Each structure stands twice: as structure tokens, then as C-alpha cells.
Amino acid sequence: MSIAVHPISDRFAAEIAGIDLSRPLDQPDVAAIWRASDAYSVLVFREQSLSDAQLRDFAARFGPLEIGRGALQPGRRRLAIPQIGDISNLNEDHQVRDLFDRKRLDSLGNRLWHTDASYMPTPVVLGMLHAKALPPPSPFGNGETEFADMRAAYDALPEDTKTAIADLVVEHDIFWSRALVGFTDFPQSERDKYPPSPQRLVRTHPGSKRKTLYLSAHGSHIVGWPVADGRLLLLDLTAHATQDRFVYRHQWHVGDLVIWDNRCTMHRGRPHDENQARDLRRATTLDTGSTLSEAA
């Protein structure tokens, strides 16, 4: 196969054509997708029809796969493959979850600007989201996913700010981000399982060699600073990085598969009609080590 890369407007996203992701990829295809990802950081593949097994096998060509927090919880699960994340509003019986459902309330943290799994000691690289079913338009939003370009946001900072933040370390905590939306119903056993993790605030993206901000709603405070001062700086940096000029908004269609690089983007989900089914499936590749081992 040979892929075609079409930039989307003047944004940092591109649409990829000329490839059927349900078929096995050869190494040149994998290399071409990596090159496109390094250049654009958000890639859109239209009209893909993938089973969960095919999505898992495709994603595994780009690195070892994460088994996410949801799949590690006890009890029944809607999806059989643990490496496939259930990004839906459906319960184990494929019914739309009640508005007060605990898992639904936990998932609302995804509507904050975040980077996936930054609260883990070894974070993640590529996120891949495949649309299976979408709700109709609603007055509150259509379930879009927004992505923020953290490389461009870093480039736009004043030089003295870049110098001042170059070596800062941020503590990331999944329970901090969930508390921001008012959800704190976690047993101590789960809190013990996911302690906070420190991450660099400024990273160098290995593919493009560009510097990038590494921000997330999981970022609680700056290590070694008074908590209040660190949180205010993180709020300022997040406001800067999520200006419209740095954001691509993806309007979903059934069959879309979107790949993004968590090392140089943030993203958030937007509201949708919670009375109708919304079913997306995610695969995520793991990084090789802590950001603390990287040079900024």
C-alpha cells in the first residue's frame, strides 16, 4: 500500500488515505504512518471497519499496548480484549449508562484537557480511537474530540519563560483530575494502586526533535514549589496551550480512526446526548520509561 497525507487546513492534523487498516501492514506502511505522526501528531483515517482484534493487532505494530485502568477493575467488562479501552457510555449489557452511574461519572474527567496515563510512572505514546456508534447532534455538543498542539504552544512561549520552566517536574495524579469534576468516590485500595507520578514539564519529542509542553489535567502541582504557585503556573500554561490557534476539533463519523501522539498533544472529549449510545474503542501504546530519564 502507499498512503497519501493531506493536511487538514492549517492545523497540525492530517487525513491519511490509501490504506485499509483491517489488513496486515508491512513495515514500509508502519514507517510511513510514523513519519506522518511525527510531522502532524494527529492523523485521521476515514471509513475504517475494524474488529477489536484488528484494532489491537494494528496498534501493536507501533509498540506494546497498555491495559488501561478500566480494564483492570474487577467485575464484568463489555469488551473481551483487555488492550481495547471502552470509550463509551454503555454498560456491560450494552445499555446506556444512567447519569449517576459510577463509571460514567469517572469518565467525565476525560472532558478536561489531558494527556492519557500521565499519572503512570511510564506514560503512553500513541492513542488510537475508532468510532463504532455515534449519537445524533444535541444542544450541548456532538461528542467532538479536541486536540491541542503542545509543540506549537511551546514554540510560542517567551524565551525567558522557556528558560524558567525547562527543568520543572510536575506531579500527576488521576485522583486530582477526577476531583476537579467533583468525582471522589474511589476506595483506598484503588488510590493505593495508582499513586502520583512525577513527569517533566518540558520534553523533546523524539521523532521531530522539537520541544513540547507535557501538560495534563492530571498535573496536580510542581515538585519543590508551593502547591498554590505551581497550580497557578499550570493553569496559565494550559490556558496558553489551548487557545483556538493551537486546537484541532475532530467531528466524528462512524468508521473514523484517529491516532494522536500523547507526548506532544493534549485532548478532551466534548459533551453529547447522554441518552443515546456513543461507542468508541481505544488502543494505546506504551512508552519505554519515565519522562524523568529524558533530557529536555
Side-chain angles (χ1 to χ4, degrees):
M1 304 179 191
S2 61
I3 68 171
V5 181
H6 304 290
I8 297 174
S9 183
D10 60 347
R11 301 294 178 173
F12 57 103
E15 190 167 317
I16 308 298
I19 190 166
D20 178 358
L21 301 181
S22 69
R23 300 175 59 186
L25 270 65
D26 59 25
Q27 191 52 41
D29 291 327
V30 173
I33 292 172
W34 267 123
R35 287 193 299 271
S37 176
D38 288 342
Y40 292 98
S41 72
V42 177
L43 305 179
V44 178
F45 300 77
R46 302 286 191 186
E47 297 180 350
Q48 302 292 324
S49 180
L50 302 175
S51 67
D52 288 350
Q54 288 169 327
L55 176 58
R56 176 200 59 198
D57 294 346
F58 166 72
R61 295 300 307 274
F62 297 88
L65 299 183
E66 178 200 36
I67 297 178
R69 189 168 59 94
L72 292 173
Q73 299 302 311
R76 286 199 304 140
R77 187 167 181 265
R78 190 173 72 94
L79 305 182
I81 299 175
Q83 294 87 352
I84 299 301
D86 188 357
I87 312 302
S88 78
N89 61 351
L90 302 175
N91 65 20
E92 295 77 13
D93 297 313
H94 305 277
Q95 302 300 310
V96 173
R97 291 186 183 275
D98 181 83
L99 292 181
F100 292 92
D101 182 276
R102 183 182 184 279
K103 289 187 177 180
R104 176 188 174 272
L105 294 173
D106 186 351
S107 72
L108 290 179
N110 293 327
R111 295 193 190 170
L112 301 172
W113 285 108
H114 68 285
T115 301
D116 287 337
S118 64
Y119 55 86
M120 298 294 289
T122 298
V124 299
V125 181
L126 298 182
M128 307 182 184
L129 201 56
H130 184 38
K132 293 284 193 176
L134 300 170
S138 82
F140 297 105
N142 301 327
E144 303 91 343
T145 301
E146 294 179 332
F147 298 90
D149 184 351
M150 308 304 283
R151 292 182 291 194
Y154 176 85
D155 290 344
L157 289 172
E159 291 302 319
D160 58 347
T161 302
K162 294 177 184 177
T163 300
I165 68 174
D167 297 317
L168 295 181
V169 172
V170 179
E171 185 168 283
H172 290 244
D173 184 350
I174 179 63
F175 304 109
W176 164 253
S177 66
R178 290 323 188 242
L180 290 174
V181 296
F183 184 68
T184 58
D185 181 20
F186 296 99
Q188 189 59 46
S189 60
E190 189 171 356
R191 292 179 182 274
D192 292 342
K193 190 174 182 178
Y194 296 98
S197 295
Q199 308 289 356
R200 295 189 63 94
L201 177 58
V202 177
R203 306 176 66 180
T204 298
H205 183 259
S208 63
K209 309 304 180 187
R210 293 174 60 189
K211 289 195 175 184
T212 180
L213 292 170
Y214 192 59
L215 293 167
S216 177
H218 308 312
S220 167
H221 60 276
I222 294 172
V223 175
W225 282 32
V227 170
D229 292 287
R231 287 180 177 168
L232 289 169
L233 176 59
L234 294 174
L235 286 170
D236 284 347
L237 289 173
T238 298
H240 164 77
T242 56
Q243 297 175 73
D244 285 347
R245 59 181 170 140
F246 301 131
V247 171
Y248 162 68
R249 170 178 281 202
H250 184 70
Q251 309 276 353
W252 287 98
H253 299 86
V254 171
D256 284 357
L257 185 136
V258 176
I259 300 177
W260 68 95
D261 190 332
N262 282 282
R263 299 168 298 182
C264 57
T265 61
M266 278 200 298
H267 62 282
R268 66 174 179 176
R270 304 306 294 142
H272 56 86
D273 185 346
E274 293 281 2
N275 296 309
Q276 303 293 325
R278 183 176 187 265
D279 185 358
L280 290 86
R281 315 286 172 90
R282 185 178 68 197
T284 310
T285 67
L286 289 166
D287 213 334
T288 56
S290 168
T291 65
L292 299 185
S293 63
E294 303 171 354

